[in-house]
Amino acid sequence: MKTLLIKAGKAFSTLRREGPIKGGKRVASAFFAMFGKVGSGDILFITGGVGDSARYRSWRQAEELAIHAFRCSVTVQDNPFLPRYADKFKIFIFHRVLYTPVVKKLIERVKAQKKEIIFETDDLVYDPAYLKHMDYFKKMNKFEKMLYENGVGGEILKDDYVKICVTTTSFLAKKLKEYGKRVFVSKNKLSNYDVELAEKILKDRSVFCHPCEGRDPEKNKLDSRFRGNDNCVVKIGYFSGTASHDKDFETVKDALSDILEKYPQVELHLFGPLEIDHIYDKFSHRVKKHPFVSWERLLIDSSRNVSCAIRTLV
């Protein structure tokens, strides 16, 4: 029942933030992911959802391991057949997984077979003590907050059976070592598909000349060459992957405000869920807000419509 309420809360927030069409597609993708095909092999990634965090920390990590001849599969924590996979894999990597009865049953079976369990995280969400520092947590509805009340996966991390952790940064590695674990840092990576799409986009050299037609791509910089040239529009983009980056944006807000004040030919384009304060009211005609888009659309939009980009992925 608790898991159902959490899912309902997340679905409601998604629909409210992104609308019935885009939000509905995301909710539907999360539902159908529960029944995605899982075979057998060496490593099974169990992840908490289908968002960017899962993409980077499960799917793309699995792809990298596959390059090195490991047989990997990825599934979500809500897969109703999860416990039966204990017999089909040797290593189980739990990424931002809520400790549900189904997850607990899988872990019990894995332990009984003396197989490896690895705790994976790309954030401090496993420790509820840090929640008070999360502005995003304050914006959640009460059902979403249930996901974090014990820390996401905190029960798995504190299990003495679990000896190994994988994370994204040296800072997080240091924090995880406080639990007496052996910790490895595996950084985020682009997938082969991402690289192929980027290379395809780069073949269209016109994307670099779009802000100022005919100009040398290597001179696409905001400097003295732009002063007094009102015909050359320079677009700065900020891409927010989730609704948790308002504080991150605050760190560059003053610098961007100075640029907008100094250069009338500059536009600021904000993509994804992001709340900005009144400081930009005076530049409203040059501050453009865009909705959250797919990963593929992000690459295309950022290359075609923005001169330089600031990105926060998750």
Side-chain angles (χ1 to χ4, degrees), residues 8-254:
K10 293 183 71 174
F12 175 77
S13 292
T14 300
L15 293 169
R16 184 180 61 181
R17 183 175 62 247
E18 300 181 27
I21 298 177
K22 287 188 176 181
K25 288 181 178 179
R26 296 195 75 186
V27 172
S29 67
F31 175 79
F32 288 113
M34 294 168 53
F35 308 100
K37 183 179 179 180
V38 178
S40 61
D42 301 307
I43 304 170
L44 178 64
F45 286 81
I46 304 97
T47 186
V50 294
D52 288 326
S53 186
R55 180 183 292 114
Y56 276 98
R57 302 311 301 168
S58 294
W59 289 101
R60 291 177 181 172
Q61 299 291 315
E63 181 186 74
E64 180 68 21
L65 289 166
I67 293 173
H68 298 280
F70 290 94
R71 295 176 299 151
C72 304
S73 289
V74 180
T75 189
V76 294
Q77 65 177 27
D78 301 305
N79 187 321
F81 309 112
L82 202 58
R84 68 176 61 175
Y85 300 140
D87 302 326
K88 296 185 176 183
F89 295 88
K90 302 173 184 177
I91 299 172
F92 299 81
I93 301 178
F94 291 84
H95 165 68
R96 295 179 74 146
V97 171
L98 184 65
Y99 197 67
T100 63
V102 174
V103 169
K104 180 181 179 181
K105 193 170 184 179
L106 170 62
I107 290 176
E108 289 173 348
R109 291 188 180 183
V110 172
K111 287 182 179 180
Q113 297 182 41
K114 297 185 175 4
K115 294 181 177 179
E116 191 73 59
I117 294 176
I118 296 176
F119 178 82
E120 215 282 356
T121 188
D122 55 353
D123 210 337
L124 285 168
V125 292
Y126 58 83
D127 189 341
Y130 293 99
L131 295 180
K132 61 184 178 182
H133 303 294
M134 292 174 57
D135 286 346
Y136 184 41
F137 179 77
K138 299 173 185 176
K139 299 176 183 178
M140 292 179 181
N141 58 51
K142 64 179 181 180
F143 298 122
E144 288 180 291
K145 288 181 178 179
M146 290 181 182
L147 175 66
Y148 293 88
E149 61 184 11
N150 295 317
V152 181
E155 298 92 338
I156 302 173
L157 175 62
K158 295 173 184 176
D159 191 331
D160 291 336
Y161 183 90
V162 179
K163 306 297 184 184
I164 297 175
C165 298
V166 177
T167 190
T168 50
T169 67
S170 57
F171 173 80
L172 284 171
K174 182 179 178 181
K175 301 299 291 185
L176 289 168
K177 286 178 181 177
E178 295 175 0
Y179 291 84
K181 311 295 183 180
R182 187 181 181 191
V183 184
F184 296 89
V185 173
S186 179
K187 296 182 179 180
N188 289 341
K189 67 179 290 292
L190 294 174
S191 68
N192 291 335
Y193 173 74
D194 297 334
V195 175
E196 290 170 3
L197 180 58
E199 289 176 344
K200 183 178 180 180
I201 293 171
L202 287 173
K203 286 181 180 179
D204 181 5
R205 303 302 296 178
S206 65
V207 301
F208 294 100
C209 297
H210 176 73
C212 189
E213 187 175 355
R215 184 163 42 80
D216 185 344
E218 296 302 321
K219 295 179 181 179
N220 191 11
K221 298 177 181 178
L222 184 64
D223 59 15
S224 59
R225 285 185 291 266
F226 288 81
R227 293 175 186 171
N229 185 358
D230 294 333
N231 295 322
C232 191
V233 177
V234 179
K235 299 178 181 180
I236 300 175
Y238 186 97
F239 298 80
S240 179
T242 66
S244 60
H245 293 290
D246 291 354
K247 273 190 174 180
D248 299 326
F249 186 74
E250 286 288 316
T251 64
V252 296
K253 179 185 65 177
D254 291 342

